[in-house]
């Protein structure tokens, strides 16, 4: 078992990225990214791979508490640094401390400012009672409460979100410990500490950072409930409350959370979940479902399921209307088989997609790790055959990414982001399984990644008639 991220693999990731970036930039020189974004993404990628390799080895002998403290502090320092850099960068380039073409982030801020001096009971009624949808209400109420302390500040809520993001790394370590062992969980924590996508969203006023914290917290507490021999009212109520909160951030997350827990209760080995506990959890789940039946959450779920095909068609037509003529081919049938490696990185400058260009290095990391994720999935099903005991996190990521891939947002980095924590666990697990035989297979993936990247650049330019 490999106990840390090997330097040879880290270097290979850097070489493949720089090589792919050079090829795309030279092939499509007229649509190359700006020098600033080129340098930023080189920093993202080299920083991730080299720091992950260095610290996964350096921190390996540390006691668990010291390891978690180091992960938290380093993650927090990097996130606070990026919050400051991005705040001034966006202010200089856009005139306001918000990202390019800011929409949701401005709305969240304005809503929280409107609620800042209001009575919390009235805010609750406005967001959760007198409404037909609660899919964004959770983040708005969070920002509204936070604004009573931070006032009109824009940067302070982001600094607070960065604390939750750093703590998410610690939760992933705890979740990984029970699922893939100590070595893999330490790599998971280190990867999440330096993951560009996690750092990037701390500099935005969007819900993704806090939402990821809730996703990982739910999975960690639900996993603890399933595996622990000791349980009480609190160990049941906490994951239930976290599950409900997911519906208030994104309905699909709540659905995936329910499906994941139900799958885990049914399929996890009896040696992990005893028969009596399994019966209790099934009963609890049925009661919880009945309690929500007939409410706003049920209406949202039903509406989502009924309109999923309509929404996908509308998204494709919208993309085609903006000149993306090949969007009609990116259907759920095409995108679903690639859900473990999406999204593809944007390495060309089209349609002023500056946000996508700024985080393209992070998306490359996801593509590169796809080979190790596939190795972990294959091993869990066919080699080690321990998929039952990984069914909670496995079912969650498959359910969530499966739903997204069937929508019109199959390559949307924002919509795919909630699946990333589990994919990092899977990638770390895949690395621990490496030996001479399966590494020969993984090395073939090194050739697949550049092909995907160049192919995506051709797709983006060709679909807009720019080739």
């Amino acid at each position: 078992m490999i106990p840390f991220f090997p330097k040879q693999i880290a270097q290979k990731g850097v070489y493949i990225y720089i090589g792919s970036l050079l090829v795309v930039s030279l092939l499509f020189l007229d649509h190359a990214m700006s020098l600033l974004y080129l340098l930023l993404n080189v920093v993202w990628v080299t920083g991730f791979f080299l720091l992950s390799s260095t610290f996964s080895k350096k921190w390996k002998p540390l006691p668990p508490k010291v390891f978690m403290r180091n992960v938290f502090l380093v993650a927090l320092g990097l996130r606070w640094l990026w919050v400051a850099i991005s705040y001034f960068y966006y202010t200089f380039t856009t005139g306001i401390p918000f990202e390019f073409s800011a929409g949701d982030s401005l709305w969240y801020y304005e809503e929280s400012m409107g609620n800042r001096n209001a009575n919390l009971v009235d805010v609750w009624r406005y967001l959760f009672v007198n409404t037909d949808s609660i899919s964004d209400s959770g983040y708005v109420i969070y920002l509204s409460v936070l604004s009573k302390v931070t006032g009109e500040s824009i940067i302070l809520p982001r600094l607070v979100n960065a604390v939750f993001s750093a703590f998410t790394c610690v939760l992933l370590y705890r979740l990984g410990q029970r699922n893939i062992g100590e070595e893999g969980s330490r790599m998971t924590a280190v990867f999440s500490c330096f993951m560009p996508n996690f750092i990037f969203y701390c500099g935005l006023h969007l819900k993704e950072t806090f939402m990821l914290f809730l996703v990982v917290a739910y999975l960690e507490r639900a996993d603890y409930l399933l595996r622990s021999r000791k349980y009480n009212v609190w160990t049941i109520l906490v994951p239930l409350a976290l599950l409900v909160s997911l519906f208030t951030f994104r309905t699909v997350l709540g659905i995936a959370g329910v499906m994941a827990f139900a799958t885990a209760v049914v399929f996890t080995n009896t040696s992990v979940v005893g028969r009596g506990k399994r019966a209790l959890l099934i009963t609890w789940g049925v009661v919880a479902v009945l309690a929500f039946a007939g409410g706003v959450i049920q209406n949202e779920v039903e509406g989502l399921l009924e309109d999923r095909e309509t929404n996908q068609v509308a998204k494709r037509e919208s993309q085609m209307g903006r000149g993306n003529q090949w969007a009609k081919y990116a259907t759920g049938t095409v995108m679903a088989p690639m859900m473990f490696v999406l999204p593809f990185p944007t390495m060309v400058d089209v349609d002023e997609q500056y946000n996508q260009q700024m985080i393209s290095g992070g998306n490359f990391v996801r593509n590169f790790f796809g080979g190790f994720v596939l190795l972990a999935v294959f091993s869990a099903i066919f080699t080690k055959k321990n998929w039952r005991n990984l069914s909670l996190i496995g079912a969650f990521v498959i359910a969530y990414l499966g739903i997204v891939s069937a929508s019109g947002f199959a390559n949307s980095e924002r919509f795919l982001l909630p699946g990333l924590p589990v994919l990092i666990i899977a990638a770390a697990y895949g690395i621990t399984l490496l030996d001479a035989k399966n590494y020969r297979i993984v090395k073939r993936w090194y050739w697949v990644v550049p092909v995907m990247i160049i192919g995506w650049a051709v797709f983006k330019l060709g679909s807009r008639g720019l080739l």
Side-chain angles (χ1 to χ4, degrees), residues 202-260:
C202 291
L204 306 179
H205 226 76
L206 294 169
K207 65 183 178 181
E208 270 65 23
T209 296
F210 192 67
M211 183 171 70
L212 282 181
F213 164 75
L214 293 176
V215 168
V216 176
Y218 164 69
L219 291 174
E220 195 276 331
R221 287 293 84 192
D223 184 75
Y224 176 82
L225 173 61
L226 285 167
R227 296 174 186 272
S228 177
R229 296 297 180 185
K230 298 180 180 179
Y231 52 93
N232 52 41
V233 173
W234 289 111
T235 57
I236 294 177
L237 287 182
V238 170
L240 176 60
L242 289 167
L243 176 60
V244 173
S245 73
L246 296 183
F247 283 97
T248 69
F249 278 73
R250 187 172 291 164
T251 306
V252 174
L253 281 176
I255 296 173
V258 171
M259 293 176 66

Side-chain angles (χ1 to χ4, degrees), residues 44 47-49 51-53 55-56 59 67-80 82 162 165-173 185-200 202 369 420-421 424:
W44 284 135
F48 172 82
F49 281 112
L51 291 175
S52 294
S53 175
F55 284 97
S56 65
W59 290 344
F67 173 79
M68 287 189 286
R69 182 199 64 192
N70 287 2
V71 166
F72 177 83
L73 292 177
V74 172
L76 183 60
L78 289 173
R79 283 151 176 77
W80 276 357
W82 176 250
S165 181
F167 190 56
T168 300
C169 302
V170 176
L171 291 177
L172 278 172
Y173 167 68
S185 66
R186 292 198 175 210
M187 266 192 281
T188 297
V190 172
F191 290 157
S192 59
C193 175
F194 299 114
M195 189 67 202
N197 304 66
F198 293 165
I199 298 172
F200 177 77
C202 291
F369 271 177
L420 182 55
I424 290 178

Side-chain angles (χ1 to χ4, degrees), residues 97-109:
F98 289 87
E99 72 276 13
F100 301 97
S101 304
D104 290 347
S105 55
L106 274 173
W107 181 79
Y108 292 138
Y109 175 72

Side-chain angles (χ1 to χ4, degrees), residues 312 316 329-342 374 397-398 401-407 410-411 416:
Q312 183 180 12
R316 302 295 176 219
Y329 300 114
T331 62
T333 304
V334 174
M335 305 302 279
M338 298 184 287
M339 63 182 179
F340 290 141
V341 300
L342 293 172
L374 294 175
V397 74
I398 291 172
L401 295 181
I403 295 172
V404 172
S405 66
S407 71
N411 198 59
L416 292 170

Side-chain angles (χ1 to χ4, degrees), residues 86-102 106 154 158:
S86 60
Y87 182 90
F88 291 108
Y89 170 72
Y90 287 131
T91 301
F92 178 76
T93 53
T94 69
I96 55 175
F98 289 87
E99 72 276 13
F100 301 97
S101 304
L106 274 173
I154 294 174
R158 297 178 186 177

